[in-house]
């Protein structure tokens, strides 16, 4: 019954590794997002996809590459992980997205720790 | 760029007390949103405001859309321990892309 789910919940890895975080929504929404929450709890948008089309790319390093195989899934792949990538990453979805203020539903987050 | 400033940054109150927090912006927002994030979870929408001057309630929570459209307030009456969490204000970012801009959050702790 989970609306927006993310895996894994926790991810601990070494600097330089490549890792992926998966997100799925079963709400039938058209738009999905990735947010990053830093150690001070500040939430910042990274990407959004609308029906598999990239809409937002907020000056995120190109080591981060979102992939949307279909509109229910938005995965985040990170290459060459750095210490500063340690954060909680939240996936979210909304019914429409662009041009709307539809409610965004957030997943439970993935806590990434880079050692 | 667009920024939302929340105050206070944190509050530690006794159960049963009322709580007030606010959010201000240097630019006009047409929508104000209040989210709550509990430990280990993602933010959950509490109240959405769409019109200047609007006052909306959700149980013990009441939020107001400021007349200037540059601020919003959230009040919690008769706080209980499960009110603990981080409260974020948010508004739509520029460019009509659907992205949200978040304030830095107000952390609320309630002592039973």
């Amino acid at each position: 019954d989970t609306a927006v789910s993310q895996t894994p919940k926790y991810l601990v890895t070494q600097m330089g590794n490549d890792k992926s975080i998966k997100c799925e929504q079963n709400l039938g929404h058209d738009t999905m997002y990735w947010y990053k929450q830093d150690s001070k709890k500040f939430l910042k948008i990274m990407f959004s996809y609308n029906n598999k089309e990239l809409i937002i790319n907020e000056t995120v390093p190109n080591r981060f590459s979102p992939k949307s195989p279909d509109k229910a899934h938005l995965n985040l792949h990170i290459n060459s992980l750095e210490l500063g990538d340690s954060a909680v990453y939240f996936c979210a979805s909304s019914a429409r997205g662009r041009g709307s203020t539809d409610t965004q539903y957030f997943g439970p987050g993935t806590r990434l720790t880079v050692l | 760029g667009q920024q939302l400033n929340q105050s206070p940054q944190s509050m530690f109150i006794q159960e049963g007390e009322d709580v007030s927090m606010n959010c201000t912006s240097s630019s006009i927002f047409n929508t104000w949103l209040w989210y709550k994030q509990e430990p280990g979870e993602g933010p959950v929408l509490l109240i959405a405001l769409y019109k200047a001057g609007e006052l909306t309630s959700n149980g013990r929570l009441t939020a107001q859309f400021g007349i200037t459209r540059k601020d919003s307030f959230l009040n919690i009456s008769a706080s209980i321990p499960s009110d603990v969490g981080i409260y974020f204000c948010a508004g739509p970012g520029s460019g009509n892309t659907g992205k949200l801009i978040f304030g830095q959050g107000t952390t609320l702790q309630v002592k039973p």
Side-chain angles (χ1 to χ4, degrees):
Chain A
D1 279 311
T2 306
V4 182
S5 58
Q6 294 178 229
T7 53
K9 175 86 172 162
Y10 301 95
L11 185 53
V12 181
T13 188
Q14 298 286 336
M15 230 173 21
N17 284 349
D18 303 338
K19 290 292 177 188
S20 292
I21 306 171
K22 294 186 177 182
C23 179
E24 177 181 359
Q25 54 95 3
N26 62 7
L27 297 166
H29 287 170
D30 285 345
T31 302
M32 297 183 71
Y33 311 80
W34 277 108
Y35 287 85
K36 179 180 180 181
Q37 187 173 47
D38 62 23
S39 58
K40 294 184 180 176
K41 307 299 182 187
F42 185 61
L43 270 163
K44 192 172 188 316
I45 183 78
M46 297 173 70
F47 300 103
S48 83
Y49 269 73
N50 179 275
N51 274 319
K52 302 185 347 180
E53 178 192 351
L54 178 67
I55 302 299
I56 298 170
N57 182 342
E58 286 282 310
T59 59
V60 177
N62 57 15
R63 298 183 295 105
F64 290 77
S65 52
K67 284 184 174 45
S68 181
D70 55 61
K71 74 173 194 177
H73 296 84
L74 181 61
N75 304 322
L76 185 64
H77 188 76
I78 315 169
N79 288 329
S80 303
L81 278 155
E82 300 177 358
L83 294 176
D85 297 332
S86 295
V88 181
Y89 292 85
F90 286 100
C91 178
S93 74
S94 65
R96 291 172 295 170
R98 185 165 41 183
S100 80
T101 51
D102 290 341
T103 299
Q104 291 187 21
Y105 295 84
F106 283 77
T110 295
R111 182 175 291 278
L112 172 65
T113 303
V114 182
L115 304 175
Chain B
Q2 292 175 297
Q3 263 190 317
L4 294 176
N5 294 306
Q6 286 186 246
S7 65
Q9 269 192 304
S10 62
M11 305 178 78
F12 190 87
I13 62 168
Q14 197 76 33
E15 183 177 359
E17 287 182 5
D18 297 343
V19 171
S20 287
M21 58 188 81
N22 73 330
C23 186
T24 59
S25 167
S26 56
S27 55
I28 286 172
F29 278 77
N30 292 316
T31 300
W32 286 92
L33 307 168
W34 285 93
Y35 279 83
K36 178 187 178 188
Q37 183 180 15
E38 296 188 3
E41 301 293 330
V44 173
L45 183 67
L46 298 172
I47 293 179
L49 302 160
Y50 299 106
K51 197 171 155 186
E54 181 182 350
L55 188 71
T56 297
S57 292
N58 177 3
R60 293 176 297 104
L61 276 62
T62 302
Q64 183 160 25
F65 191 140
I67 290 290
T68 65
R69 293 197 282 158
K70 290 185 176 183
D71 56 11
S72 180
F73 307 89
L74 177 69
N75 295 316
I76 306 173
S77 62
S79 58
I80 58 178
S82 62
D83 290 333
V84 161
I86 306 175
Y87 291 80
F88 291 100
C89 63
S94 59
N96 210 24
T97 57
K99 76 176 182 184
L100 292 180
I101 304 295
F102 282 83
Q104 70 269 55
T106 293
T107 300
L108 178 64
Q109 292 177 288
V110 180
K111 186 177 177 183

